[in-house]
mmCIF file with all atom_site columns, all heavy atoms in Angstrom:
data_model
loop_
_atom_site.group_PDB
_atom_site.id
_atom_site.type_symbol
_atom_site.label_atom_id
_atom_site.label_alt_id
_atom_site.label_comp_id
_atom_site.label_asym_id
_atom_site.label_entity_id
_atom_site.label_seq_id
_atom_site.pdbx_PDB_ins_code
_atom_site.Cartn_x
_atom_site.Cartn_y
_atom_site.Cartn_z
_atom_site.occupancy
_atom_site.B_iso_or_equiv
_atom_site.pdbx_formal_charge
_atom_site.auth_seq_id
_atom_site.auth_comp_id
_atom_site.auth_asym_id
_atom_site.auth_atom_id
_atom_site.pdbx_PDB_model_num
ATOM 1   N N   . GLU A 1 1  ? 130.965 61.979 27.746 1.00 95.00 ? 193 GLU A N   1
ATOM 2   C CA  . GLU A 1 1  ? 131.440 60.743 28.340 1.00 95.00 ? 193 GLU A CA  1
ATOM 3   C C   . GLU A 1 1  ? 130.958 60.462 29.724 1.00 95.00 ? 193 GLU A C   1
ATOM 4   O O   . GLU A 1 1  ? 130.788 59.398 30.153 1.00 95.00 ? 193 GLU A O   1
ATOM 5   C CB  . GLU A 1 1  ? 133.026 60.743 28.333 1.00 95.00 ? 193 GLU A CB  1
ATOM 6   C CG  . GLU A 1 1  ? 133.728 60.569 26.978 1.00 95.00 ? 193 GLU A CG  1
ATOM 7   C CD  . GLU A 1 1  ? 135.260 60.607 27.229 1.00 95.00 ? 193 GLU A CD  1
ATOM 8   O OE1 . GLU A 1 1  ? 135.744 60.033 28.149 1.00 95.00 ? 193 GLU A OE1 1
ATOM 9   O OE2 . GLU A 1 1  ? 135.894 61.141 26.341 1.00 95.00 ? 193 GLU A OE2 1
ATOM 10  N N   . VAL A 1 2  ? 130.841 61.653 30.495 1.00 96.00 ? 194 VAL A N   1
ATOM 11  C CA  . VAL A 1 2  ? 130.457 61.394 31.879 1.00 96.00 ? 194 VAL A CA  1
ATOM 12  C C   . VAL A 1 2  ? 129.094 62.280 32.005 1.00 96.00 ? 194 VAL A C   1
ATOM 13  O O   . VAL A 1 2  ? 128.968 63.448 31.546 1.00 96.00 ? 194 VAL A O   1
ATOM 14  C CB  . VAL A 1 2  ? 131.568 62.150 32.854 1.00 96.00 ? 194 VAL A CB  1
ATOM 15  C CG1 . VAL A 1 2  ? 130.989 62.246 34.284 1.00 96.00 ? 194 VAL A CG1 1
ATOM 16  C CG2 . VAL A 1 2  ? 132.860 61.297 32.751 1.00 96.00 ? 194 VAL A CG2 1
ATOM 17  N N   . VAL A 1 3  ? 128.178 61.626 32.634 1.00 96.00 ? 195 VAL A N   1
ATOM 18  C CA  . VAL A 1 3  ? 126.915 62.207 32.940 1.00 96.00 ? 195 VAL A CA  1
ATOM 19  C C   . VAL A 1 3  ? 126.958 63.217 34.026 1.00 96.00 ? 195 VAL A C   1
ATOM 20  O O   . VAL A 1 3  ? 126.563 64.406 33.945 1.00 96.00 ? 195 VAL A O   1
ATOM 21  C CB  . VAL A 1 3  ? 125.754 61.204 33.346 1.00 96.00 ? 195 VAL A CB  1
ATOM 22  C CG1 . VAL A 1 3  ? 124.507 61.817 33.689 1.00 96.00 ? 195 VAL A CG1 1
ATOM 23  C CG2 . VAL A 1 3  ? 125.589 60.215 32.129 1.00 96.00 ? 195 VAL A CG2 1
ATOM 24  N N   . CYS A 1 4  ? 127.582 62.821 35.183 1.00 96.00 ? 196 CYS A N   1
ATOM 25  C CA  . CYS A 1 4  ? 127.770 63.793 36.212 1.00 96.00 ? 196 CYS A CA  1
ATOM 26  C C   . CYS A 1 4  ? 128.972 63.155 37.139 1.00 96.00 ? 196 CYS A C   1
ATOM 27  O O   . CYS A 1 4  ? 129.248 61.994 37.075 1.00 96.00 ? 196 CYS A O   1
ATOM 28  C CB  . CYS A 1 4  ? 126.516 64.015 37.119 1.00 96.00 ? 196 CYS A CB  1
ATOM 29  S SG  . CYS A 1 4  ? 126.016 62.612 38.027 1.00 96.00 ? 196 CYS A SG  1
ATOM 30  N N   . TRP A 1 5  ? 129.571 64.162 38.063 1.00 97.00 ? 197 TRP A N   1
ATOM 31  C CA  . TRP A 1 5  ? 130.452 63.790 38.936 1.00 97.00 ? 197 TRP A CA  1
ATOM 32  C C   . TRP A 1 5  ? 130.384 64.741 40.158 1.00 97.00 ? 197 TRP A C   1
ATOM 33  O O   . TRP A 1 5  ? 129.940 65.774 40.002 1.00 97.00 ? 197 TRP A O   1
ATOM 34  C CB  . TRP A 1 5  ? 131.924 63.794 38.360 1.00 97.00 ? 197 TRP A CB  1
ATOM 35  C CG  . TRP A 1 5  ? 132.492 65.150 38.059 1.00 97.00 ? 197 TRP A CG  1
ATOM 36  C CD1 . TRP A 1 5  ? 132.240 65.730 36.772 1.00 97.00 ? 197 TRP A CD1 1
ATOM 37  C CD2 . TRP A 1 5  ? 133.134 65.987 38.845 1.00 97.00 ? 197 TRP A CD2 1
ATOM 38  N NE1 . TRP A 1 5  ? 132.837 67.012 36.830 1.00 97.00 ? 197 TRP A NE1 1
ATOM 39  C CE2 . TRP A 1 5  ? 133.454 67.241 38.073 1.00 97.00 ? 197 TRP A CE2 1
ATOM 40  C CE3 . TRP A 1 5  ? 133.718 65.908 40.105 1.00 97.00 ? 197 TRP A CE3 1
ATOM 41  C CZ2 . TRP A 1 5  ? 134.178 68.238 38.602 1.00 97.00 ? 197 TRP A CZ2 1
ATOM 42  C CZ3 . TRP A 1 5  ? 134.369 66.992 40.612 1.00 97.00 ? 197 TRP A CZ3 1
ATOM 43  C CH2 . TRP A 1 5  ? 134.626 68.219 39.919 1.00 97.00 ? 197 TRP A CH2 1
ATOM 44  N N   . THR A 1 6  ? 130.763 64.185 41.284 1.00 96.00 ? 198 THR A N   1
ATOM 45  C CA  . THR A 1 6  ? 130.695 64.943 42.550 1.00 96.00 ? 198 THR A CA  1
ATOM 46  C C   . THR A 1 6  ? 131.910 64.641 43.298 1.00 96.00 ? 198 THR A C   1
ATOM 47  O O   . THR A 1 6  ? 132.647 63.585 43.105 1.00 96.00 ? 198 THR A O   1
ATOM 48  C CB  . THR A 1 6  ? 129.461 64.600 43.334 1.00 96.00 ? 198 THR A CB  1
ATOM 49  O OG1 . THR A 1 6  ? 129.561 63.150 43.748 1.00 96.00 ? 198 THR A OG1 1
ATOM 50  C CG2 . THR A 1 6  ? 128.232 64.855 42.645 1.00 96.00 ? 198 THR A CG2 1
ATOM 51  N N   . ARG A 1 7  ? 132.159 65.420 44.397 1.00 96.00 ? 199 ARG A N   1
ATOM 52  C CA  . ARG A 1 7  ? 133.250 65.091 45.390 1.00 96.00 ? 199 ARG A CA  1
ATOM 53  C C   . ARG A 1 7  ? 132.658 63.858 46.125 1.00 96.00 ? 199 ARG A C   1
ATOM 54  O O   . ARG A 1 7  ? 131.552 63.601 46.294 1.00 96.00 ? 199 ARG A O   1
ATOM 55  C CB  . ARG A 1 7  ? 133.332 66.215 46.276 1.00 96.00 ? 199 ARG A CB  1
ATOM 56  C CG  . ARG A 1 7  ? 133.794 67.525 45.617 1.00 96.00 ? 199 ARG A CG  1
ATOM 57  C CD  . ARG A 1 7  ? 135.235 67.530 45.172 1.00 96.00 ? 199 ARG A CD  1
ATOM 58  N NE  . ARG A 1 7  ? 136.229 67.453 46.094 1.00 96.00 ? 199 ARG A NE  1
ATOM 59  C CZ  . ARG A 1 7  ? 136.829 68.491 46.614 1.00 96.00 ? 199 ARG A CZ  1
ATOM 60  N NH1 . ARG A 1 7  ? 136.539 69.804 46.334 1.00 96.00 ? 199 ARG A NH1 1
ATOM 61  N NH2 . ARG A 1 7  ? 137.834 68.344 47.542 1.00 96.00 ? 199 ARG A NH2 1
ATOM 62  N N   . GLY A 1 8  ? 133.623 62.994 46.668 1.00 93.00 ? 200 GLY A N   1
ATOM 63  C CA  . GLY A 1 8  ? 133.250 61.787 47.268 1.00 93.00 ? 200 GLY A CA  1
ATOM 64  C C   . GLY A 1 8  ? 132.592 62.059 48.597 1.00 93.00 ? 200 GLY A C   1
ATOM 65  O O   . GLY A 1 8  ? 132.754 63.116 49.275 1.00 93.00 ? 200 GLY A O   1
ATOM 66  N N   . THR A 1 9  ? 131.723 61.065 49.034 1.00 94.00 ? 201 THR A N   1
ATOM 67  C CA  . THR A 1 9  ? 131.101 61.117 50.361 1.00 94.00 ? 201 THR A CA  1
ATOM 68  C C   . THR A 1 9  ? 131.767 60.021 51.164 1.00 94.00 ? 201 THR A C   1
ATOM 69  O O   . THR A 1 9  ? 132.117 58.921 50.693 1.00 94.00 ? 201 THR A O   1
ATOM 70  C CB  . THR A 1 9  ? 129.569 60.882 50.254 1.00 94.00 ? 201 THR A CB  1
ATOM 71  O OG1 . THR A 1 9  ? 129.403 59.641 49.539 1.00 94.00 ? 201 THR A OG1 1
ATOM 72  C CG2 . THR A 1 9  ? 128.948 62.020 49.528 1.00 94.00 ? 201 THR A CG2 1
ATOM 73  N N   . PRO A 1 10 ? 131.844 60.265 52.517 1.00 94.00 ? 202 PRO A N   1
ATOM 74  C CA  . PRO A 1 10 ? 132.561 59.283 53.412 1.00 94.00 ? 202 PRO A CA  1
ATOM 75  C C   . PRO A 1 10 ? 131.799 57.895 53.452 1.00 94.00 ? 202 PRO A C   1
ATOM 76  O O   . PRO A 1 10 ? 130.622 57.844 53.455 1.00 94.00 ? 202 PRO A O   1
ATOM 77  C CB  . PRO A 1 10 ? 132.534 59.883 54.715 1.00 94.00 ? 202 PRO A CB  1
ATOM 78  C CG  . PRO A 1 10 ? 132.190 61.347 54.509 1.00 94.00 ? 202 PRO A CG  1
ATOM 79  C CD  . PRO A 1 10 ? 131.425 61.364 53.209 1.00 94.00 ? 202 PRO A CD  1
ATOM 80  N N   . LEU A 1 11 ? 132.599 56.789 53.544 1.00 95.00 ? 203 LEU A N   1
ATOM 81  C CA  . LEU A 1 11 ? 132.086 55.513 53.678 1.00 95.00 ? 203 LEU A CA  1
ATOM 82  C C   . LEU A 1 11 ? 132.578 55.026 54.942 1.00 95.00 ? 203 LEU A C   1
ATOM 83  O O   . LEU A 1 11 ? 133.732 55.201 55.310 1.00 95.00 ? 203 LEU A O   1
ATOM 84  C CB  . LEU A 1 11 ? 132.596 54.590 52.524 1.00 95.00 ? 203 LEU A CB  1
ATOM 85  C CG  . LEU A 1 11 ? 132.149 54.961 51.121 1.00 95.00 ? 203 LEU A CG  1
ATOM 86  C CD1 . LEU A 1 11 ? 133.002 54.118 50.160 1.00 95.00 ? 203 LEU A CD1 1
ATOM 87  C CD2 . LEU A 1 11 ? 130.720 54.685 50.876 1.00 95.00 ? 203 LEU A CD2 1
ATOM 88  N N   . VAL A 1 12 ? 131.666 54.429 55.756 1.00 93.00 ? 204 VAL A N   1
ATOM 89  C CA  . VAL A 1 12 ? 132.070 53.825 57.196 1.00 93.00 ? 204 VAL A CA  1
ATOM 90  C C   . VAL A 1 12 ? 132.621 52.484 56.814 1.00 93.00 ? 204 VAL A C   1
ATOM 91  O O   . VAL A 1 12 ? 132.025 51.530 56.284 1.00 93.00 ? 204 VAL A O   1
ATOM 92  C CB  . VAL A 1 12 ? 130.914 53.658 58.016 1.00 93.00 ? 204 VAL A CB  1
ATOM 93  C CG1 . VAL A 1 12 ? 131.313 53.085 59.289 1.00 93.00 ? 204 VAL A CG1 1
ATOM 94  C CG2 . VAL A 1 12 ? 130.342 55.101 58.353 1.00 93.00 ? 204 VAL A CG2 1
ATOM 95  N N   . LEU A 1 13 ? 133.909 52.255 57.275 1.00 94.00 ? 205 LEU A N   1
ATOM 96  C CA  . LEU A 1 13 ? 134.556 51.009 57.063 1.00 94.00 ? 205 LEU A CA  1
ATOM 97  C C   . LEU A 1 13 ? 134.440 50.141 58.314 1.00 94.00 ? 205 LEU A C   1
ATOM 98  O O   . LEU A 1 13 ? 134.159 48.901 58.187 1.00 94.00 ? 205 LEU A O   1
ATOM 99  C CB  . LEU A 1 13 ? 136.138 51.168 56.767 1.00 94.00 ? 205 LEU A CB  1
ATOM 100 C CG  . LEU A 1 13 ? 136.438 51.962 55.490 1.00 94.00 ? 205 LEU A CG  1
ATOM 101 C CD1 . LEU A 1 13 ? 137.947 52.040 55.336 1.00 94.00 ? 205 LEU A CD1 1
ATOM 102 C CD2 . LEU A 1 13 ? 135.797 51.247 54.217 1.00 94.00 ? 205 LEU A CD2 1
ATOM 103 N N   . VAL A 1 14 ? 134.641 50.795 59.444 1.00 92.00 ? 206 VAL A N   1
ATOM 104 C CA  . VAL A 1 14 ? 134.435 50.076 60.723 1.00 92.00 ? 206 VAL A CA  1
ATOM 105 C C   . VAL A 1 14 ? 133.575 50.961 61.710 1.00 92.00 ? 206 VAL A C   1
ATOM 106 O O   . VAL A 1 14 ? 133.966 52.022 62.009 1.00 92.00 ? 206 VAL A O   1
ATOM 107 C CB  . VAL A 1 14 ? 135.827 49.755 61.394 1.00 92.00 ? 206 VAL A CB  1
ATOM 108 C CG1 . VAL A 1 14 ? 135.517 49.090 62.782 1.00 92.00 ? 206 VAL A CG1 1
ATOM 109 C CG2 . VAL A 1 14 ? 136.665 48.901 60.493 1.00 92.00 ? 206 VAL A CG2 1
ATOM 110 N N   . ASP A 1 15 ? 132.391 50.388 61.967 1.00 88.00 ? 207 ASP A N   1
ATOM 111 C CA  . ASP A 1 15 ? 131.441 51.123 62.840 1.00 88.00 ? 207 ASP A CA  1
ATOM 112 C C   . ASP A 1 15 ? 131.870 50.941 64.236 1.00 88.00 ? 207 ASP A C   1
ATOM 113 O O   . ASP A 1 15 ? 132.377 49.947 64.743 1.00 88.00 ? 207 ASP A O   1
ATOM 114 C CB  . ASP A 1 15 ? 130.054 50.743 62.609 1.00 88.00 ? 207 ASP A CB  1
ATOM 115 C CG  . ASP A 1 15 ? 129.083 51.785 62.882 1.00 88.00 ? 207 ASP A CG  1
ATOM 116 O OD1 . ASP A 1 15 ? 129.520 52.874 63.242 1.00 88.00 ? 207 ASP A OD1 1
ATOM 117 O OD2 . ASP A 1 15 ? 127.824 51.629 62.714 1.00 88.00 ? 207 ASP A OD2 1
ATOM 118 N N   . ALA A 1 16 ? 131.576 52.006 65.079 1.00 83.00 ? 208 ALA A N   1
ATOM 119 C CA  . ALA A 1 16 ? 131.896 51.911 66.434 1.00 83.00 ? 208 ALA A CA  1
ATOM 120 C C   . ALA A 1 16 ? 130.861 52.659 67.281 1.00 83.00 ? 208 ALA A C   1
ATOM 121 O O   . ALA A 1 16 ? 130.075 53.514 66.770 1.00 83.00 ? 208 ALA A O   1
ATOM 122 C CB  . ALA A 1 16 ? 133.307 52.546 66.800 1.00 83.00 ? 208 ALA A CB  1
ATOM 123 N N   . PRO A 1 17 ? 130.610 52.342 68.569 1.00 81.00 ? 209 PRO A N   1
ATOM 124 C CA  . PRO A 1 17 ? 129.565 53.043 69.271 1.00 81.00 ? 209 PRO A CA  1
ATOM 125 C C   . PRO A 1 17 ? 129.846 54.534 69.385 1.00 81.00 ? 209 PRO A C   1
ATOM 126 O O   . PRO A 1 17 ? 128.874 55.311 69.397 1.00 81.00 ? 209 PRO A O   1
ATOM 127 C CB  . PRO A 1 17 ? 129.715 52.362 70.721 1.00 81.00 ? 209 PRO A CB  1
ATOM 128 C CG  . PRO A 1 17 ? 130.672 51.347 70.623 1.00 81.00 ? 209 PRO A CG  1
ATOM 129 C CD  . PRO A 1 17 ? 131.351 51.325 69.307 1.00 81.00 ? 209 PRO A CD  1
ATOM 130 N N   . ARG A 1 18 ? 131.071 54.938 69.492 1.00 77.00 ? 210 ARG A N   1
ATOM 131 C CA  . ARG A 1 18 ? 131.363 56.366 69.447 1.00 77.00 ? 210 ARG A CA  1
ATOM 132 C C   . ARG A 1 18 ? 131.794 56.866 68.040 1.00 77.00 ? 210 ARG A C   1
ATOM 133 O O   . ARG A 1 18 ? 132.665 56.172 67.420 1.00 77.00 ? 210 ARG A O   1
ATOM 134 C CB  . ARG A 1 18 ? 132.467 56.717 70.555 1.00 77.00 ? 210 ARG A CB  1
ATOM 135 C CG  . ARG A 1 18 ? 132.013 56.416 71.914 1.00 77.00 ? 210 ARG A CG  1
ATOM 136 C CD  . ARG A 1 18 ? 133.042 56.848 72.897 1.00 77.00 ? 210 ARG A CD  1
ATOM 137 N NE  . ARG A 1 18 ? 132.847 56.244 74.106 1.00 77.00 ? 210 ARG A NE  1
ATOM 138 C CZ  . ARG A 1 18 ? 133.928 55.667 74.789 1.00 77.00 ? 210 ARG A CZ  1
ATOM 139 N NH1 . ARG A 1 18 ? 135.119 55.845 74.365 1.00 77.00 ? 210 ARG A NH1 1
ATOM 140 N NH2 . ARG A 1 18 ? 133.566 54.918 75.801 1.00 77.00 ? 210 ARG A NH2 1
ATOM 141 N N   . ARG A 1 19 ? 131.358 57.997 67.662 1.00 72.00 ? 211 ARG A N   1
ATOM 142 C CA  . ARG A 1 19 ? 131.636 58.539 66.342 1.00 72.00 ? 211 ARG A CA  1
ATOM 143 C C   . ARG A 1 19 ? 133.068 58.698 66.117 1.00 72.00 ? 211 ARG A C   1
ATOM 144 O O   . ARG A 1 19 ? 133.629 58.364 65.082 1.00 72.00 ? 211 ARG A O   1
ATOM 145 C CB  . ARG A 1 19 ? 130.788 59.744 66.147 1.00 72.00 ? 211 ARG A CB  1
ATOM 146 C CG  . ARG A 1 19 ? 130.766 60.157 64.641 1.00 72.00 ? 211 ARG A CG  1
ATOM 147 C CD  . ARG A 1 19 ? 129.792 61.192 64.296 1.00 72.00 ? 211 ARG A CD  1
ATOM 148 N NE  . ARG A 1 19 ? 130.426 62.461 64.061 1.00 72.00 ? 211 ARG A NE  1
ATOM 149 C CZ  . ARG A 1 19 ? 129.923 63.655 63.889 1.00 72.00 ? 211 ARG A CZ  1
ATOM 150 N NH1 . ARG A 1 19 ? 128.600 63.673 64.032 1.00 72.00 ? 211 ARG A NH1 1
ATOM 151 N NH2 . ARG A 1 19 ? 130.587 64.678 63.583 1.00 72.00 ? 211 ARG A NH2 1
ATOM 152 N N   . ARG A 1 20 ? 133.853 59.110 67.042 1.00 78.00 ? 212 ARG A N   1
ATOM 153 C CA  . ARG A 1 20 ? 135.229 59.451 66.783 1.00 78.00 ? 212 ARG A CA  1
ATOM 154 C C   . ARG A 1 20 ? 136.119 58.189 66.699 1.00 78.00 ? 212 ARG A C   1
ATOM 155 O O   . ARG A 1 20 ? 137.221 58.228 66.260 1.00 78.00 ? 212 ARG A O   1
ATOM 156 C CB  . ARG A 1 20 ? 135.700 60.300 67.926 1.00 78.00 ? 212 ARG A CB  1
ATOM 157 C CG  . ARG A 1 20 ? 135.836 59.656 69.335 1.00 78.00 ? 212 ARG A CG  1
ATOM 158 C CD  . ARG A 1 20 ? 136.402 60.467 70.462 1.00 78.00 ? 212 ARG A CD  1
ATOM 159 N NE  . ARG A 1 20 ? 136.378 59.773 71.583 1.00 78.00 ? 212 ARG A NE  1
ATOM 160 C CZ  . ARG A 1 20 ? 136.068 60.291 72.707 1.00 78.00 ? 212 ARG A CZ  1
ATOM 161 N NH1 . ARG A 1 20 ? 135.872 61.627 72.880 1.00 78.00 ? 212 ARG A NH1 1
ATOM 162 N NH2 . ARG A 1 20 ? 135.971 59.580 73.835 1.00 78.00 ? 212 ARG A NH2 1
ATOM 163 N N   . GLU A 1 21 ? 135.574 57.068 67.065 1.00 83.00 ? 213 GLU A N   1
ATOM 164 C CA  . GLU A 1 21 ? 136.255 55.692 66.920 1.00 83.00 ? 213 GLU A CA  1
ATOM 165 C C   . GLU A 1 21 ? 135.953 55.072 65.612 1.00 83.00 ? 213 GLU A C   1
ATOM 166 O O   . GLU A 1 21 ? 136.518 54.016 65.301 1.00 83.00 ? 213 GLU A O   1
ATOM 167 C CB  . GLU A 1 21 ? 135.860 54.849 68.071 1.00 83.00 ? 213 GLU A CB  1
ATOM 168 C CG  . GLU A 1 21 ? 136.356 55.376 69.430 1.00 83.00 ? 213 GLU A CG  1
ATOM 169 C CD  . GLU A 1 21 ? 135.892 54.585 70.599 1.00 83.00 ? 213 GLU A CD  1
ATOM 170 O OE1 . GLU A 1 21 ? 135.019 53.642 70.380 1.00 83.00 ? 213 GLU A OE1 1
ATOM 171 O OE2 . GLU A 1 21 ? 136.279 54.957 71.751 1.00 83.00 ? 213 GLU A OE2 1
ATOM 172 N N   . ARG A 1 22 ? 135.067 55.577 64.749 1.00 87.00 ? 214 ARG A N   1
ATOM 173 C CA  . ARG A 1 22 ? 134.789 54.933 63.489 1.00 87.00 ? 214 ARG A CA  1
ATOM 174 C C   . ARG A 1 22 ? 135.867 55.149 62.483 1.00 87.00 ? 214 ARG A C   1
ATOM 175 O O   . ARG A 1 22 ? 136.666 56.080 62.574 1.00 87.00 ? 214 ARG A O   1
ATOM 176 C CB  . ARG A 1 22 ? 133.497 55.669 62.842 1.00 87.00 ? 214 ARG A CB  1
ATOM 177 C CG  . ARG A 1 22 ? 132.298 55.307 63.535 1.00 87.00 ? 214 ARG A CG  1
ATOM 178 C CD  . ARG A 1 22 ? 131.153 55.943 62.604 1.00 87.00 ? 214 ARG A CD  1
ATOM 179 N NE  . ARG A 1 22 ? 129.846 55.761 63.461 1.00 87.00 ? 214 ARG A NE  1
ATOM 180 C CZ  . ARG A 1 22 ? 128.867 56.591 63.456 1.00 87.00 ? 214 ARG A CZ  1
ATOM 181 N NH1 . ARG A 1 22 ? 128.904 57.693 62.731 1.00 87.00 ? 214 ARG A NH1 1
ATOM 182 N NH2 . ARG A 1 22 ? 127.839 56.324 64.201 1.00 87.00 ? 214 ARG A NH2 1
ATOM 183 N N   . VAL A 1 23 ? 136.048 54.157 61.668 1.00 91.00 ? 215 VAL A N   1
ATOM 184 C CA  . VAL A 1 23 ? 137.065 54.207 60.607 1.00 91.00 ? 215 VAL A CA  1
ATOM 185 C C   . VAL A 1 23 ? 136.377 54.453 59.297 1.00 91.00 ? 215 VAL A C   1
ATOM 186 O O   . VAL A 1 23 ? 135.433 53.779 58.977 1.00 91.00 ? 215 VAL A O   1
ATOM 187 C CB  . VAL A 1 23 ? 137.921 52.875 60.519 1.00 91.00 ? 215 VAL A CB  1
ATOM 188 C CG1 . VAL A 1 23 ? 138.884 53.045 59.376 1.00 91.00 ? 215 VAL A CG1 1
ATOM 189 C CG2 . VAL A 1 23 ? 138.705 52.743 61.850 1.00 91.00 ? 215 VAL A CG2 1
ATOM 190 N N   . THR A 1 24 ? 136.693 55.671 58.706 1.00 92.00 ? 216 THR A N   1
ATOM 191 C CA  . THR A 1 24 ? 136.044 55.869 57.429 1.00 92.00 ? 216 THR A CA  1
ATOM 192 C C   . THR A 1 24 ? 136.954 56.091 56.282 1.00 92.00 ? 216 THR A C   1
ATOM 193 O O   . THR A 1 24 ? 138.241 56.214 56.455 1.00 92.00 ? 216 THR A O   1
ATOM 194 C CB  . THR A 1 24 ? 135.284 57.265 57.616 1.00 92.00 ? 216 THR A CB  1
ATOM 195 O OG1 . THR A 1 24 ? 136.162 58.306 57.888 1.00 92.00 ? 216 THR A OG1 1
ATOM 196 C CG2 . THR A 1 24 ? 134.168 57.196 58.648 1.00 92.00 ? 216 THR A CG2 1
ATOM 197 N N   . TYR A 1 25 ? 136.401 56.118 55.133 1.00 95.00 ? 217 TYR A N   1
ATOM 198 C CA  . TYR A 1 25 ? 137.256 56.339 53.922 1.00 95.00 ? 217 TYR A CA  1
ATOM 199 C C   . TYR A 1 25 ? 136.504 57.333 53.072 1.00 95.00 ? 217 TYR A C   1
ATOM 200 O O   . TYR A 1 25 ? 135.287 57.254 52.868 1.00 95.00 ? 217 TYR A O   1
ATOM 201 C CB  . TYR A 1 25 ? 137.361 55.021 53.193 1.00 95.00 ? 217 TYR A CB  1
ATOM 202 C CG  . TYR A 1 25 ? 137.964 55.297 51.743 1.00 95.00 ? 217 TYR A CG  1
ATOM 203 C CD1 . TYR A 1 25 ? 139.212 55.724 51.524 1.00 95.00 ? 217 TYR A CD1 1
ATOM 204 C CD2 . TYR A 1 25 ? 137.099 55.012 50.621 1.00 95.00 ? 217 TYR A CD2 1
ATOM 205 C CE1 . TYR A 1 25 ? 139.729 55.951 50.238 1.00 95.00 ? 217 TYR A CE1 1
ATOM 206 C CE2 . TYR A 1 25 ? 137.534 55.309 49.247 1.00 95.00 ? 217 TYR A CE2 1
ATOM 207 C CZ  . TYR A 1 25 ? 138.857 55.665 49.171 1.00 95.00 ? 217 TYR A CZ  1
ATOM 208 O OH  . TYR A 1 25 ? 139.378 55.982 47.858 1.00 95.00 ? 217 TYR A OH  1
ATOM 209 N N   . LEU A 1 26 ? 137.276 58.371 52.656 1.00 95.00 ? 218 LEU A N   1
ATOM 210 C CA  . LEU A 1 26 ? 136.678 59.426 51.733 1.00 95.00 ? 218 LEU A CA  1
ATOM 211 C C   . LEU A 1 26 ? 137.382 59.334 50.344 1.00 95.00 ? 218 LEU A C   1
ATOM 212 O O   . LEU A 1 26 ? 138.550 59.798 50.194 1.00 95.00 ? 218 LEU A O   1
ATOM 213 C CB  . LEU A 1 26 ? 136.967 60.779 52.493 1.00 95.00 ? 218 LEU A CB  1
ATOM 214 C CG  . LEU A 1 26 ? 136.405 61.967 51.678 1.00 95.00 ? 218 LEU A CG  1
ATOM 215 C CD1 . LEU A 1 26 ? 134.938 61.940 51.536 1.00 95.00 ? 218 LEU A CD1 1
ATOM 216 C CD2 . LEU A 1 26 ? 136.854 63.293 52.281 1.00 95.00 ? 218 LEU A CD2 1
#
């Protein structure tokens, strides 16, 4: 039924100049 599956990779929701200020979703 499934060809392949992996653990999710982070998606950037809100980008910011500093990495620690970014909002991500995993």
Side-chain angles (χ1 to χ4, degrees):
E193 290 179 36
V194 171
V195 174
C196 68
W197 68 271
T198 61
R199 301 290 293 268
T201 55
L203 298 168
V204 176
L205 299 179
V206 178
D207 207 0
R210 293 189 204 134
R211 194 165 111 184
R212 67 177 175 219
E213 295 173 353
R214 287 184 188 148
V215 177
T216 60
Y217 166 67
L218 179 64

